[in-house]
Amino acid sequence: AAFQRALPELDEVELMWRLHFLLGSLMHTAGGSHLIERMSHGRCDPADVEGTIHRLISYTGAGLRASVKETAAP
């Protein structure tokens, strides 16, 4: 309900998809943190919890707020 109030321009189906992607990002980040270290050859530190949270909020926030037109099927 809070997401629907914050994002009234999204219909329920679109909101559910975006929340699904948000949860997937959270689960992958929490469960696969070793991958970012390997992919970046150690340049990205999964032990940097504050940095990880900051980046995840920025990334998912942008996805949640993306224009509805940008997500329309071709």
Side-chain angles (χ1 to χ4, degrees):
F3 281 106
Q4 286 178 323
R5 287 191 301 273
L7 301 162
E9 68 279 8
L10 300 180
D11 65 34
E12 186 177 355
V13 170
E14 185 64 29
L15 180 60
M16 290 298 110
W17 274 111
R18 292 183 190 203
L19 291 176
H20 173 74
F21 297 142
L22 179 150
L23 292 172
S25 295
L26 287 171
M27 290 188 297
H28 178 75
T29 300
S33 62
H34 63 285
L35 294 173
I36 187 67
E37 188 171 26
R38 289 179 67 197
M39 288 180 355
S40 70
H41 302 287
R43 291 184 303 250
C44 298
D45 181 9
D48 176 13
V49 176
E50 286 187 37
T52 301
I53 291 170
H54 175 76
R55 287 176 177 91
L56 191 56
I57 289 170
S58 177
Y59 175 81
T60 56
L64 287 169
R65 292 186 306 270
S67 169
V68 175
K69 287 188 261 184
E70 293 176 15
T71 62

